[in-house]
Each structure stands twice: as structure tokens, then as C-alpha cells.
């Protein structure tokens, strides 16, 4: 297994692998418009790939000003390689890269495994904060959040 930061040249040459990975984790809303997915990835501040036998099996991408905020937009690991600490390695690589940045944020669903995963990496769920109350607000175009 190897983890490395990907250049735009590498990303462009890996379009099929990237689409296969997003489809593999059933994030098909992303792959309905492949050109939009690729534009999003290419415009990311940082893209980290995880490879097993030269096959892309994991990816993490961020949006950032590289000073005060980093937003982890996507973190995905192909189902055949989950529960092998690959996602953890992707996040740790990201955290190391951005150790100089004050705030690192992400959104995730409410599955217990997701909550435990991010908590184990030092992230705090804002709904559990008491001494430092914070709120996270989100608006998603085309989706009514309830």
C-alpha cells in the first residue's frame, strides 16, 4: 500500500480509476456528470490517493485557504479495502499536511461507525460540545435538508 499526493497530471490520467472508485462506494450522484466530478477534483486544494498494487483504492480531497481552514470534502475507500486502516492513513496524511492550519472540518452521515472513526482521529462532533459550543450550518442546492 502506498499513499501519495496526486498532481493534476496524475488526476487527469486516472479519470477511469477515479470514476470506478466513486462508483465502487456507490457515490453515483458524483459520477452522473463525470466532467463535473473531475473539475471538482482538479480544483481541490489537495488530493491524496491510496494505492494497492498500483490500483487506486482510496482518495481524500480538500478545499482550503491553507492558512485558517481546511474542509475535507471527500474521503472514500473501495469496499474491498475497507477496515484495513487505509481511510485512517488518508486522514493522517491530510492532518500532517495541514498541521499548520487552525480548523479542519468535514461533514459525515450519522452512522455510528463514521462517528467513531472521526472521533478516533481527534475530530469533535459539534452537537456534543458543551464547554466550547459551536454550530455547523449547511445548505445544499437541490436537496431539502430535514
Amino acid at each position: 500500500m502506498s499513499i501519495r499526493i496526486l498532481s493534476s497530471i496524475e488526476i487527469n490520467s486516472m479519470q477511469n480509476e477515479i470514476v470506478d472508485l466513486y462508483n465502487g462506494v456507490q457515490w453515483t450522484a458524483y459520477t452522473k456528470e463525470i466532467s463535473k466530478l473531475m473539475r471538482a477534483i482538479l480544483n481541490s486544494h489537495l488530493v491524496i490517493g491510496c494505492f494497492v498494487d498500483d490500483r487506486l483504492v482510496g482518495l481524500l480531497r480538500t478545499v482550503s485557504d491553507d492558512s485558517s481552514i481546511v474542509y475535507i470534502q471527500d474521503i472514500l475507500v473501495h469496499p474491498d479495502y475497507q477496515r484495513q486502516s487505509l481511510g485512517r492513513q488518508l486522514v493522517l496524511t491530510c492532518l500532517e499536511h495541514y498541521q499548520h492550519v487552525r480548523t479542519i472540518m468535514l461533514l459525515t452521515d450519522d452512522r455510528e461507525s463514521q462517528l467513531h472513526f472521526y472521533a478516533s482521529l481527534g475530530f469533535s462532533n459539534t452537537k456534543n460540545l458543551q464547554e466550547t459550543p459551536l454550530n455547523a450550518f449547511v445548505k445544499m442546492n437541490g436537496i431539502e435538508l430535514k
Side-chain angles (χ1 to χ4, degrees):
M1 185 250 330
S2 68
I3 292 183
R4 67 176 189 269
I5 295 171
L6 302 178
S7 70
S8 57
I9 293 171
E10 288 177 292
I11 292 166
N12 276 320
S13 70
M14 298 171 59
Q15 177 176 309
N16 292 338
E17 288 180 81
I18 291 169
V19 170
D20 288 347
L21 179 58
Y22 276 78
N23 282 330
V25 296
Q26 299 178 8
W27 288 12
T28 55
Y30 284 88
T31 59
K32 287 179 183 174
E33 295 182 61
I34 294 170
S35 63
K36 195 173 183 179
L37 169 63
M38 294 308 295
R39 185 171 61 249
I41 292 173
L42 286 165
N43 286 329
S44 297
H45 189 260
L46 179 72
V47 180
I48 305 170
C50 178
F51 299 85
V52 172
D53 298 327
D54 294 324
R55 176 184 174 205
L56 179 69
V57 299
L59 186 136
L60 181 148
R61 72 182 187 95
T62 68
V63 178
S64 177
D65 63 11
D66 202 29
S67 181
S68 62
I69 186 102
V70 173
Y71 180 80
I72 298 175
Q73 170 57 36
D74 294 344
I75 175 170
L76 53 158
V77 174
H78 191 280
D80 293 345
Y81 296 90
Q82 290 177 2
R83 312 212 53 71
Q84 298 177 31
S85 295
L86 303 183
R88 175 174 296 282
Q89 290 304 313
L90 285 166
V91 174
L92 290 174
T93 300
C94 175
L95 295 177
E96 182 178 329
H97 184 84
Y98 289 113
Q99 62 187 334
H100 61 284
V101 176
R102 181 172 186 236
T103 304
I104 301 172
M105 293 186 61
L106 60 92
L107 287 177
T108 188
D109 60 35
D110 204 32
R111 286 182 291 150
E112 200 66 30
S113 62
Q114 293 289 339
L115 301 177
H116 287 297
F117 174 71
Y118 291 112
S120 76
L121 289 161
F123 288 85
S124 296
N125 189 332
T126 60
K127 72 180 181 182
N128 298 330
L129 298 178
Q130 294 180 6
E131 289 184 35
T132 313
L134 295 172
N135 290 292
F137 291 87
V138 63
K139 180 180 186 319
M140 300 177 89
N141 290 329
I143 299 173
E144 184 179 344
L145 301 174
K146 298 178 182 183

